[in-house]
Amino acid sequence: MSPAAPSSGSAGKPVDPLVIRSLDFLGPMATVDGWRPTNELPEIAFAGRSNVGKSSLLNALVRRKAFARVSKTPGRTREINFFIVNKQFVLADLPGYGYARISKARQAEWRPLIEGYLRRSPVLKGIVQLLDARHDPTDDDKQMLDLLAEIGLPTVVVLTKVDKLSKGQAAERLKLIAKQLELDEEQMIQFSSVTGEGRNDLAEALVSLLASTALDAAEHPSVPMASEGDEALPGTGPGRDE
Ligand code: GDP
């Protein structure tokens, strides 16, 4: 199946790396062992603490004013909500964690559901982790990033609300947060849902994530290691091991 490739640009026109042609709500996952929509398409999840600007970012990403509203409705705020985009990939909106005004016990509730989902989703290809550009990462943010590193999931870090900072401040914050988290600055995107800054960078990052996983699937089987007495037959099927 073809990856979500952007149409090639022509004559200086800005090209949207991710044109949204269709968007459907697939349903929620509410508990660790609960139902979740069956899905064989590649999945990308979005994570961040409550109030980081995730709903606003998702709305900006898909260019719909109230797309992420479903995740904000009472009863849905602690669920993972799944959407299918362009019939090509699935977007998983993880519940916001670490809301400061709720008790410690309630704050810790996010972990089993999110961790269970992350560990048990074979089609999950990557995570977009949101951090508020103005603040240092919280303990929850660090836990989340440690978990992602441990599981080995490709992670795109997005710094939100950069419109609240000057260009210089935003650049400084990016450097500092990258240092604090030992991340590559290249892995981070500055984003504002108010100005639209970073929307296309994020869209591009998603497209390449999806394209690289599609390539993995399509290309790797074609290079079987030739072992002695086992003639590799170029151009034949993958012959995947069980
Ligand atoms: P969520 O809880 O992570 O889904 O966060 P929301 O998207 O609901 O945003 C929380 C608050 O931050 C709201 O008051 C938004 O209007 C505001 N907000 C979100 N993104 C931005 C942004 O890029 N710039 C500014 N200035 N405010 C933002």
Side-chain angles (χ1 to χ4, degrees):
M1 241 164 283
S2 68
S7 50
S8 52
S10 65
K13 255 197 179 174
V15 176
D16 185 341
L18 181 65
V19 177
I20 306 297
R21 294 184 302 275
S22 68
L23 199 55
D24 298 291
F25 180 46
L26 285 176
M29 177 179 179
T31 57
V32 189
D33 307 312
W35 178 88
R36 60 148 293 165
T38 47
N39 168 42
E40 286 173 13
L41 292 171
E43 205 159 279
I44 295 184
F46 288 71
R49 65 171 178 75
S50 298
N51 222 36
V52 71
K54 181 156 55 63
S55 305
S56 308
L57 172 140
L58 289 173
N59 290 340
L61 176 68
V62 302
R63 304 193 190 282
R64 304 281 197 283
K65 281 205 171 72
F67 158 69
R69 194 165 52 198
V70 63
S71 309
K72 288 270 188 185
T73 52
R76 289 233 187 279
T77 54
R78 277 179 278 146
E79 294 175 346
I80 301 174
N81 288 297
F82 297 90
F83 304 84
I84 182 164
V85 184
N86 293 348
K87 307 202 186 325
Q88 227 164 8
F89 71 97
V90 165
L91 187 162
D93 183 9
L94 302 184
Y97 53 74
Y99 188 54
R101 270 182 253 158
I102 59 175
S103 68
K104 276 264 174 309
R106 285 265 317 276
Q107 280 185 29
E109 270 178 14
W110 66 269
R111 182 134 186 159
L113 178 64
I114 291 183
E115 181 170 357
Y117 161 75
L118 294 174
R119 289 193 188 281
R120 278 178 244 138
S121 298
V123 288
L124 183 60
K125 300 305 178 195
I127 294 275
V128 179
Q129 172 67 41
L130 278 60
L131 300 170
D132 191 318
R134 299 165 303 164
H135 306 306
D136 290 340
T138 63
D139 287 346
D140 283 318
D141 291 329
K142 288 182 196 152
Q143 265 194 52
M144 186 69 197
L145 285 157
D146 285 347
L147 187 59
L148 297 174
E150 188 223 310
I151 299 173
L153 277 168
T155 304
V156 176
V157 173
V158 174
L159 300 187
T160 60
K161 309 190 189 182
V162 289
D163 58 283
K164 296 201 179 199
L165 300 170
S166 69
K167 284 263 172 268
Q169 286 171 327
E172 251 172 53
R173 291 294 308 160
L174 184 131
K175 263 199 169 45
L176 186 69
I177 294 174
K179 202 165 162 207
Q180 286 171 336
L181 298 175
E182 297 175 15
L183 292 173
D184 187 348
E185 287 176 35
E186 305 269 296
Q187 231 185 307
M188 297 164 76
I189 294 173
Q190 298 190 35
F191 193 93
S192 164
S193 54
V194 171
T195 64
E197 178 178 350
R199 187 272 171 194
N200 283 355
D201 294 337
L202 174 58
E204 226 163 67
L206 300 188
V207 168
S208 38
L209 201 55
L210 292 166
S212 65
T213 58
L215 282 177
D216 277 354
E219 282 179 1
H220 287 172
S222 68
V223 276
M225 298 292 271
S227 58
E228 272 178 50
D230 176 20
E231 266 185 62
L233 299 173
T236 53
R240 232 188 228 186
D241 287 342
E242 284 298 307

